[in-house]
Amino acid sequence: MDWELDVVDGVDAGIERLRKLLRKQTNRYNSLELNTIAKGAFSQTWGGSLTDKTSDVLLKVLGDNLISKSHDSHDEKKAPKLQDTLESRDARKLMVSALQGAIPIFSSPIYIGVAECLRRRLLSHANDITKISMEISRDPDARDGLKKYRNKSFATRVISTGFNPSHLKVFTFDFDELNRNIEINSVDTRTVAESVEWLLNRWYHPYLGKR
């Protein structure tokens, strides 16, 4: 277990194992870099990239640089509590158990989409993800090179972020079946599905979506 007490040369190696696992999970949920353009008077134009920095404090805590309890920001004041949790075997066990129970309930989706032929869509995604994942397994350093192609395909975005096929689950919602169950025949289910997709994407902000 990643949280188990394991004393090596007088040091609890369980702390670093859990830190490493949490760093890996945190990195998967970093938002993608944004390309921005700003326009001013007389056709002035600026362009550049924006990087999400919100996870920096958490990654510092999960790394080797411990954060002092004297820091002023809200996030940094909370950080020592996580440090204290990591230093206790029983606290680590409780935290891991809580995360295992909470993640299926509180996690937001990474992608929401509409498909008329779900089998064909999923097979296409699965084949691409498996292919790229196998390439990365042969050359782990190639993952960083995928980042400049993140907008090319869902598979590229998934693998470049640090996921592999075993991490992904699919949940389906059959609008045609729902339509039959409520006995409505005069509705364009595709239109309704796309409307629901539009709302859900804006409510949950799945960060590997494109629109």
Side-chain angles (χ1 to χ4, degrees):
M1 295 293 184
D2 293 298
W3 51 263
E4 281 283 9
L5 178 68
D6 183 14
V7 179
V8 178
D9 295 331
V11 178
D12 182 2
I15 296 177
E16 181 52 34
R17 282 202 301 267
L18 187 54
R19 283 181 187 275
K20 183 177 180 180
L21 180 65
L22 293 174
R23 281 198 301 270
K24 188 174 182 179
Q25 183 72 356
T26 299
N27 278 323
R28 289 189 180 117
Y29 289 94
N30 283 343
S31 297
L32 299 178
E33 188 177 78
L34 297 177
N35 294 320
T36 60
I37 295 177
K39 294 185 177 181
F42 303 105
S43 300
Q44 288 179 312
T45 304
W46 291 267
S49 300
L50 290 177
T51 303
D52 183 11
K53 310 298 290 184
T54 54
S55 62
D56 281 0
V57 171
L58 178 56
L59 289 174
K60 285 180 183 178
V61 176
L62 296 174
D64 297 326
N65 300 320
L66 300 184
I67 292 180
S68 168
K69 297 183 181 181
S70 64
H71 281 268
D72 294 330
S73 77
H74 175 76
D75 286 338
E76 291 181 345
K77 286 180 178 179
K78 295 291 186 182
K81 296 182 183 295
L82 177 56
Q83 290 172 187
D84 292 341
T85 299
L86 291 171
E87 290 167 4
S88 165
R89 172 190 178 276
D90 290 339
R92 292 198 299 268
K93 179 179 180 180
L94 178 61
M95 181 176 71
V96 170
S97 296
L99 288 173
Q100 288 173 333
I103 284 176
I105 300 172
F106 295 109
S107 291
S108 63
I110 63 173
Y111 181 85
I112 298 174
V114 172
E116 291 183 1
C117 182
L118 185 61
R119 181 183 297 274
R120 183 169 62 242
R121 173 72 70 85
L122 291 180
L123 280 175
S124 175
H125 285 321
N127 289 338
D128 290 345
I129 290 170
T130 301
K131 178 182 177 181
I132 298 174
S133 182
M134 291 178 65
E135 293 173 357
I136 295 299
S137 68
R138 291 192 292 268
D139 180 14
D141 293 336
R143 190 187 303 274
D144 289 337
L146 290 176
K147 293 179 180 179
K148 60 184 177 181
Y149 301 112
R150 279 184 172 180
N151 291 326
K152 297 297 183 181
S153 70
F154 173 63
T156 303
R157 296 195 297 277
V158 166
I159 300 302
S160 68
T161 308
F163 288 92
N164 65 53
S166 67
H167 295 128
L168 305 176
K169 293 183 179 180
V170 177
F171 297 89
T172 63
F173 193 99
D174 189 334
F175 272 81
D176 288 330
E177 182 178 353
L178 175 64
N179 203 28
R180 289 191 295 270
N181 290 340
I182 60 178
E183 298 180 346
I184 295 178
N185 300 315
S186 59
V187 171
D188 181 351
T189 54
R190 174 76 188 201
T191 298
V192 177
E194 290 184 358
S195 299
V196 172
E197 177 198 25
W198 190 90
L199 288 171
L200 293 178
N201 275 313
R202 281 147 187 81
W203 287 343
Y204 294 121
H205 303 287
Y207 77 106
L208 290 184
K210 292 186 66 175
R211 291 178 293 178

